[in-house]
Every structure is written in structure tokens, then in C-alpha cells.
């Protein structure tokens, strides 16, 4: 079934495998995509995926995930993105732009800035974001954010993309509002489930108006928040404790999905967990060494970041590894069973995300009606030709992705690529692989 076509609205996918969002430092300092962005995306398209979902492209001019991530907060970003999209589409590969806003989960910035603290409510979160304390957005800031999404959506269509995805997952701003363990507001954007949903509702309405009814629109939604994973301190504690400990469960997220269908959303992209990275969204191991590198790289930004780095540095790896790995498992097709519930109970096309690599598991997921499409990130970074291998009947690549989770942490500071040394004969070979990702003799993208 992997090689059967599938259609969402007017969008035809030649097979069922989509490259999931992979963000990295592939933009100029101002957020304009570079040739590295284009060449990186093009490699997946050349090797047979039917569609690509972009990295989370920021709708906010101030906040990006880490530095040099792409932005769509101004019209000047449209033309260079359009060039990258065109390069991908030449390979009969659909390009969906994902837009988002990291809010209080902004990982790093040039200098500490208040904008990076903005969230639904004032919460201390040890693991995600660098600001010591999140700051509750004012109503005007919420309204501005809704407008930012709509404006960015218009730019996505102008750039010639095939579709648009809004991320309401990854622990970014929308999920910060949806999540009852994080959102402690008492105004119209907090409290009841409908109030917590309101920001997403207004974003979807604004975005739909900006892109028109005929343009495919999807939402990346977490099936369940699992607030307690990874082991984290989110303070102050919130009552009822189940909200603090679990966040939204699948019941609440199915409720959101039903409302999204009513608002005219065309597909759901289902993953799991709260925060990037988290053990349900990126099943595998916790990358202790990489996390130390990352925390050390941003410890100058806030008191929290300084103490967090000090805490991690003070625990030797042999002790930290088992503690930090609590809850982290390599679970194949981690969200597939949840995706099935969304597909059956909501009746929209569903993309399942996380932990796919073996051909038979993908086949089984599709055949059992758990999902219509499967999205993959890390296994395609490890074996860019995986779809071609599947076509030749390969069950699992000879040198598979180990789900070590070094790559999603490295992405904040280093070029994109596979960082698992066990997969390479030497460090030189690993470095050559990393450098190859953005290589091309094509015309360069400029930010002028
Ligand atoms: C290097 C890297 C960068 C990522 N960047 C993004 C991103 O910008 N936005 C997003 O929604 N997900 C991002 N993800 C998450 C992936 O899209 C995917 O959901 C996750 O890796 C689980 O899928 P997998 O098991 O196929 O890797 C990233 C993952 C990796 C490995």
C-alpha cells in the first residue's frame, strides 16, 4: 500500500510517505531561507518521498526556534522560499509549509529578550525554553499572534506551496494555550476546554480567510500531552493534579479535532507529547552528551539556563544517563494507534508521525487503517533513499537510524545531518555525510 497514491483535497500524493518537518540553521541571520535550505529539502524530494512538510517556519519576527531558523513574518521572505519550493516540486513532490510560533519554548536567542518568555501563563519549566519564568501574554499580544499566523499563511500561498500546516503541537505557543497544565489563565483564552481552544480556533478562522477555501490546510496535533514526560519541573503545581500531570489526554484532543473539522480543516497530522524533544514525539534515547552541549551553549541567556547547565554538568554521565532516560524508549509507530482513533472518530485524512522505519510496520499501519500517510524524519536523515529501498523490497535499511536523538538536539547549534558515530566507520566519514546535505552546484538563493 506504500506505493498507492493518496489525495487530500486537490493534492495528489504519489505514495504514502512524507518527509516530516526537519528544522535546522538553514537561513540567513534575518530568517531568509538559504541555498542550504533548498538543497537539503531537494535531496528528500529527489529520493522519492511524495511530500515534504517544512520545518516550523516562524510567524513571529522576534522568535525563532534556535537562531537562523526560517521566518515568514514579512513579505520579503516569500521570494527565496518560493525558489526552494519550486526546486522541490520539480521532483513530483508536494511541499507543505508548516507555520508556528515557539512562544515560551524559544530555545535560544542572540540576547535575552522578553518576547521569548511569552506564553499562555507564567510558569517555570526547567527543560524547555531558556527564560527563567514564562510571561502570560496580554490579550493584545494574543490577538497579534493570531494575526501573525494569518499573515504568514497568506505568504505561504504566495510562495507557491501546495498546502499549509499549523503546528498545535511540539509544546509551541498553541499547545501552551491548549494544555491545561500550562494554561492557567482566567480570561477568554483560559480555563474551560473551549476557552483553551479559542486561540487555535481564531487562528484557523484567520488563516482560512487568508488562504481561501481551496487551499489544503492541516493541523499538527498531539494525541496526548503526557506532561510528566520527560521528567520535568513545571511550577507552580496546578490543581487539579491530573491537569498538571497529564495535560490534555486523547479525549480532549479528539474534542479539539472534532472542532477543527467543523472549522474546515482538511487533514490532521498526529504526533504525541508536549515539547521538543519529548520521549513520545521522538521515541528513542535521551542524548545526554548533546543535551549538555546545548545547555552549555545557551547558559549565558538567563539564570535558569545557567543553573540548568550547571546541574547537568555536575552529574556524571554514568549517573545522568539512566535518570534522564526514564520514559525514553524506542517505540515503533508510537502514535499509530492514536492516529487510528482520530481517523475513525473524526473522519479526516490522518498523517501518523514518530518511530516509523521498517517497511512492514508502515504497511501494517496503512493496511489497518491507522493512517492515510506516514511521516518520517530521523530515518530519512539516516537513509535518504529509504523510499527507493522500500520499492526494491527492503524491509529495513542495512544501516538504520538508531533513534539516538542526537540530530534533533544538534539542530540548534550544528548543521543538519546524522550525528550517531556508531553508524560510520570514522568521524571523517560522519562529517562528510553532514556536509553533503546542503551541497549543490545550483543557483544560490540570495536575501536581497
Ligand atoms: C533534526 C530534527 C529537526 C526537527 N525539526 C522539527 C521542526 O522544525 N518542526 C517540527 O514540527 N518537528 C520537527 N522535528 C520532529 C520531526 O518532524 C518528527 O516528528 C520526529 O523526529 C519523530 O519522527 P521520526 O521518528 O520519524 O524521526 C525535527 C526532528 C529532527 C530529527
Amino acid at each position: 500500500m506504500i506505493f498507492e497514491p493518496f489525495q487530500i483535497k486537490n493534492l495528489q500524493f504519489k505514495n504514502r510517505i512524507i518527509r516530516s518537518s526537519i528544522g535546522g540553521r538553514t537561513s540567513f541571520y534575518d530568517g531568509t531561507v538559504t541555498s542550504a535550505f533548498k538543497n537539503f529539502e531537494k535531496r528528500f524530494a529527489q529520493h522519492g518521498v511524495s511530500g515534504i512538510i517544512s520545518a516550523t517556519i516562524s510567524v513571529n519576527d522576534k522568535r525563532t526556534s534556535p537562531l537562523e531558523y526560517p521566518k515568514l513574518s514579512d513579505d520579503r521572505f516569500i521570494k527565496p522560499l518560493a525558489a526552494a519550493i519550486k526546486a522541490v516540486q520539480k521532483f513530483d513532490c508536494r511541499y507543505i509549509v508548516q507555520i508556528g510560533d515557539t512562544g515560551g519554548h524559544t530555545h535560544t536567542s542572540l540576547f535575552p529578550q522578553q518576547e521569548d518568555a511569552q506564553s499562555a501563563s507564567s510558569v517555570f519549566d526547567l527543560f524547555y525554553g531558556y527564560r527563567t519564568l514564562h510571561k502570560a501574554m496580554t490579550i493584545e499580544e494574543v490577538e497579534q499572534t493570531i494575526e501573525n499566523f494569518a499573515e504568514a499563511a497568506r505568504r505561504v500561498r504566495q510562495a507557491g506551496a501546495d498546502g499549509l500546516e499549523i503546528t498545535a503541537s511540539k509544546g509551541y505557543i498553541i499547545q501552551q494555550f491548549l494544555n491545561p497544565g500550562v494554561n492557567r489563565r482566567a480570561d477568554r483564552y483560559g480555563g474551560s476546554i473551549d476557552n483553551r481552544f479559542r486561540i487555535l480556533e481564531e487562528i484557523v478562522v484567520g488563516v482560512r480567510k487568508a488562504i481561501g477555501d481551496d487551499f489544503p490546510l492541516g493541523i499538527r496535533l498531539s494525541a496526548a500531552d503526557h506532561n510528566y514526560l520527560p521528567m520535568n519541573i513545571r511550577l507552580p503545581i496546578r490543581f487539579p493534579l491530573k491537569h498538571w500531570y497529564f495535560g490534555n489526554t486523547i479525549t480532549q484532543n479528539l474534542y479539539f479535532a472534532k472542532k477543527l473539522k467543523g472549522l474546515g480543516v482538511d487533514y490532521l497530522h498526529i504526533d504525541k507529547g508536549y515539547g521538543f524533544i519529548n520521549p513520545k514525539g521522538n521515541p528513542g534515547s535521551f542524548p545526554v552528551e548533546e543535551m549538555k552541549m546545548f545547555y552549555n551553549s545557551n547558559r549565558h541567556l538567563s539564570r535558569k539556563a545557567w543553573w540548568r547547565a550547571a546541574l547537568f554538568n555536575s552529574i556524571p554521565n554514568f549517573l545522568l544517563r539512566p535518570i534522564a532516560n526514564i520514559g525514553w524508549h524506542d517505540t515503533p509507530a508510537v502514535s499509530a494507534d492514536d492516529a487510528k482513533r482520530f481517523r475513525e472518530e473524526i473522519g479526516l485524512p490522518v498523517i501518523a508521525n514518530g518511530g516509523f522505519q521498517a517497511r512492514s510496520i508502515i504497511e501494517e499501519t496503512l493496511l489497518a487503517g491507522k493512517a492515510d500517510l506516514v511521516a518520517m524524519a530521523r530515518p530519512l536523515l539516516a537513509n535518504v533513499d529509504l523510499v527507493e529501498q522500500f520499492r526494491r523490497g527492503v524491509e529495513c535499511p542495512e544501516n538504520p537510524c538508531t533513534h539516538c536523538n542526537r540530530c534533533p538536539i544538534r539542530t540548534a547549534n550544528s548543521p543538519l545531518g546524522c550525528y550517531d558515530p556508531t553508524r560510520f566507520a570514522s568521524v571523517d566519514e560522519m562529517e562528510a555525510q553532514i556536509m553533503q546535505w546542503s551541497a549543490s552546484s545550483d543557483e544560490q538563493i540570495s536575501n536581497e
Side-chain angles (χ1 to χ4, degrees):
M1 206 168 163
I2 290 177
F3 292 100
E4 282 178 20
F6 186 73
Q7 187 146 346
I8 297 179
K9 216 166 193 164
N10 50 0
L11 214 63
Q12 179 86 16
F13 294 91
K14 66 186 172 200
N15 62 50
R16 304 298 183 100
I17 297 185
I18 305 274
R19 200 300 308 277
S20 186
S21 303
I22 302 183
R25 302 181 72 154
T26 51
S27 296
F28 290 106
Y29 290 165
D30 71 342
T32 306
V33 297
T34 60
S35 304
F37 178 97
K38 178 185 74 173
N39 299 334
F40 180 77
E41 301 293 66
K42 221 171 82 179
R43 271 193 83 191
F44 297 99
Q46 272 170 320
H47 287 286
V49 295
S50 65
I52 290 179
I53 302 174
S54 78
T56 308
I57 300 193
S58 185
V59 303
N60 185 295
D61 193 51
K62 282 281 191 177
R63 288 188 281 270
T64 53
S65 201
L67 296 164
E68 292 152 44
Y69 263 55
K71 282 197 260 178
L72 262 178
S73 51
D74 190 274
D75 284 357
R76 74 176 189 280
F77 298 120
I78 299 174
K79 207 171 139 203
L81 180 64
I85 292 175
K86 216 166 162 191
V88 165
Q89 287 167 333
K90 276 191 190 142
F91 297 95
D92 191 17
C93 178
R94 309 289 162 252
Y95 200 82
I96 296 174
V97 172
Q98 190 201 80
I99 54 174
D101 180 340
T102 47
H105 279 211
T106 303
H107 305 305
T108 185
S109 254
L110 208 50
F111 293 103
Q113 49 173 11
Q114 272 307 317
E115 287 79 0
D116 294 345
Q118 286 180 358
S119 183
S121 299
S122 179
V123 178
F124 173 84
D125 180 327
L126 179 71
F127 203 72
Y128 298 110
Y130 73 85
R131 294 305 309 233
T132 305
L133 210 55
H134 292 176
K135 183 181 160 286
M137 279 179 159
T138 61
I139 293 279
E140 292 71 38
E141 285 163 347
V142 175
E143 286 167 354
Q144 182 59 56
T145 299
I146 294 163
E147 203 179 313
N148 291 347
F149 272 92
E151 279 289 288
R154 168 183 59 79
R155 294 181 188 117
V156 169
R157 183 153 197 176
Q158 282 176 300
D162 297 299
L164 171 71
E165 183 171 296
I166 298 168
T167 183
S169 181
K170 317 294 309 162
Y172 290 166
I173 197 79
I174 297 173
Q175 204 180 6
Q176 290 162 29
F177 275 80
L178 297 177
N179 190 322
V182 176
N183 183 341
R184 293 126 190 246
R185 303 173 75 95
D187 60 10
R188 67 176 194 269
Y189 293 103
S192 70
I193 187 163
D194 288 323
N195 278 358
R196 297 200 311 275
F197 181 73
R198 193 177 310 278
I199 188 168
L200 179 53
E201 179 171 357
E202 293 180 1
I203 286 172
V204 169
V205 170
V207 161
R208 183 49 96 193
K209 214 165 137 199
I211 57 177
D213 287 340
D214 58 332
F215 200 67
L217 170 63
I219 306 289
R220 181 160 176 165
L221 191 68
S222 172
D225 293 339
H226 299 278
N227 276 2
Y228 54 94
L229 285 175
M231 275 204 320
N232 194 5
I233 302 169
R234 207 164 278 127
L235 296 172
I237 288 175
R238 158 110 161 88
F239 296 96
L241 277 179
K242 67 173 183 189
H243 282 173
W244 182 69
Y245 192 70
F246 294 108
N248 288 312
T249 63
I250 192 161
T251 311
Q252 283 95 53
N253 284 306
L254 281 164
Y255 179 78
F256 294 147
K258 204 174 203 174
K259 294 185 83 149
L260 289 168
K261 187 182 181 191
L263 292 170
V265 161
D266 299 306
Y267 75 88
L268 297 168
H269 180 178
I270 300 297
D271 64 6
K272 249 173 139 154
Y274 179 83
F276 185 65
I277 62 173
N278 79 75
K280 297 285 182 186
N282 282 71
S285 336
F286 182 86
V288 168
E289 289 89 350
E290 261 66 22
M291 218 61 192
K292 281 187 174 174
M293 281 182 214
F294 171 62
Y295 285 157
N296 283 317
S297 75
N298 62 31
R299 68 184 170 192
H300 56 290
L301 287 172
S302 71
R303 253 182 310 162
K304 172 179 113 176
W306 192 93
W307 280 107
R308 184 173 58 190
L311 178 73
F312 265 69
N313 290 329
S314 67
I315 309 176
N317 284 356
F318 77 91
L319 276 179
L320 187 56
R321 208 166 278 125
I323 300 168
N325 267 286
I326 292 174
W328 292 84
H329 308 284
D330 192 356
T331 318
V334 66
S335 66
D337 291 336
D338 293 329
K340 183 173 195 237
R341 287 197 58 189
F342 282 86
R343 190 170 177 268
E344 287 178 354
E345 293 178 37
I346 309 301
L348 281 176
V350 164
I351 305 175
N353 189 317
F356 290 100
Q357 178 156 236
R359 185 192 155 113
S360 56
I361 291 178
I362 298 171
E363 275 292 351
E364 197 272 329
T365 299
L366 297 168
L367 281 170
K370 295 180 183 178
D372 301 291
L373 295 155
V374 160
M376 281 194 276
R378 295 167 297 169
L380 289 169
L381 258 188
N383 288 283
V384 70
D385 64 341
L386 191 55
V387 176
E388 291 161 344
Q389 293 195 33
F390 287 159
R391 198 180 274 285
R392 296 198 300 272
V394 171
E395 160 63 10
C396 196
E398 216 172 280
N399 189 9
C401 167
T402 58
H403 295 147
C404 70
N405 274 325
R406 291 171 195 264
C407 61
I409 301 303
R410 281 285 187 158
T411 181
N413 301 100
S414 311
L416 285 164
C418 175
Y419 283 85
D420 181 358
T422 67
R423 295 189 60 251
F424 300 92
S426 64
V427 172
D428 282 352
E429 194 185 293
M430 182 165 82
E431 281 185 5
Q433 165 266 146
I434 293 163
M435 293 312 174
Q436 200 190 343
W437 271 101
S438 64
S440 171
S441 54
D442 278 11
E443 202 184 311
Q444 300 291 301
I445 284 181
S446 119
N447 67 338
E448 293 190 348

